Amino acid sequence: MHQNAKNTRVDRRAELLKVSREIMAEKGYEATKISEIVARAGVAQGTFYWYFPSKASIVKTLTVEMQSEVQIALTSAFAEPGLLKQKIEKSITDTFNILSAYRDVLALARLVESASEHEFVFSPYHRLISDLLRYEQSQGTINSGIDPTITATLIVGTVYYAAVQCYIYNVPIPIEHYIEETARFVCHALGIG
């Protein structure tokens, strides 16, 4: 019974996230009401608050989910054997693909994001990429003169901004071209040919 209760809690939480995401995509963040979420999910309003203290916490949870997928993709891309340029290209392609699946969350996160939440979302990427850059510097594959912390921030910002252009602002340039140019830009900035 204990396992069934745990599964039920996980299922309810997942359903609340799914339904919240659907309604926010349909109506927008501001127009979405918790009463609509619980009605569609078929749970009591108190159940919502058991899992999430606010509507903004739904967005934060979805952002963490997205962030986790990106971190796994980045770690995986750099763990594979191959040239650094190929790893960068793969990591950027994988990141764009994940952000495509979370384009609604990207838009929502921009609406409810404070400075501390911005730091919460991006600091894991900054740390991961700066660690990867330090490792590559120790291997002699990138310029030892670059500052890994600042460069990581610039890389994350570049990829994020490019993805926002594609998935939020729907620029008329093909996404594949944006991915290629973003990878080329990052490689050039790191001195990789």
Side-chain angles (χ1 to χ4, degrees):
M1 171 115 169
H2 177 66
Q3 187 64 31
N4 283 344
K6 184 177 179 182
N7 287 342
T8 301
R9 285 194 302 268
V10 170
D11 292 345
R12 279 193 186 130
R13 184 178 186 278
E15 182 66 14
L16 284 167
L17 282 171
K18 178 181 157 288
V19 168
S20 297
R21 191 171 173 184
E22 288 170 358
I23 295 172
M24 287 180 195
E26 291 166 14
K27 296 181 136 197
Y29 178 79
E30 292 299 326
T32 298
K33 304 290 180 228
I34 292 173
S35 58
E36 293 173 284
I37 295 169
V38 298
R40 191 179 292 183
V43 300
Q45 193 143 345
T47 302
F48 177 90
Y49 290 111
W50 175 260
Y51 296 103
F52 305 101
S54 66
K55 188 168 60 168
S57 70
I58 289 277
V59 175
K60 186 173 184 178
T61 301
L62 291 168
T63 302
V64 168
E65 187 179 282
M66 174 183 68
Q67 174 192 55
S68 177
E69 287 190 37
V70 170
Q71 284 183 281
I72 290 167
L74 291 175
T75 303
S76 174
F78 282 88
E80 294 178 12
L83 299 173
L84 180 57
K85 181 178 180 184
Q86 294 166 331
K87 293 176 184 184
I88 291 169
E89 290 168 349
K90 179 171 179 16
S91 68
I92 289 173
T93 300
D94 291 350
T95 298
F96 265 78
N97 289 336
I98 292 165
L99 295 180
S100 173
Y102 283 92
R103 65 181 65 209
D104 58 323
V105 176
L106 277 174
L108 291 169
R110 293 169 53 84
L111 294 174
V112 299
E113 192 175 90
S114 67
S116 64
E117 288 165 337
H118 181 82
E119 179 63 21
F120 171 80
V121 170
F122 288 103
S123 64
Y125 301 137
H126 296 161
R127 281 191 304 274
L128 176 63
I129 293 173
S130 65
D131 289 347
L132 292 168
L133 292 173
R134 281 186 191 85
Y135 173 76
E136 294 300 333
Q137 284 177 320
S138 74
Q139 300 300 305
T141 53
I142 64 170
N143 182 340
S144 62
I146 66 169
D147 181 316
T149 302
I150 294 171
T151 303
T153 302
L154 295 171
I155 290 170
V156 170
T158 299
V159 173
Y160 176 75
Y161 184 77
V164 166
Q165 290 299 301
C166 293
Y167 301 129
I168 305 299
Y169 299 119
N170 300 313
V171 294
I173 299 167
I175 291 170
E176 297 76 21
H177 190 61
Y178 248 94
I179 293 169
E180 290 168 10
E181 285 301 315
T182 302
R184 188 179 354 265
F185 181 82
V186 170
C187 287
H188 181 71
L190 295 174
I192 302 166

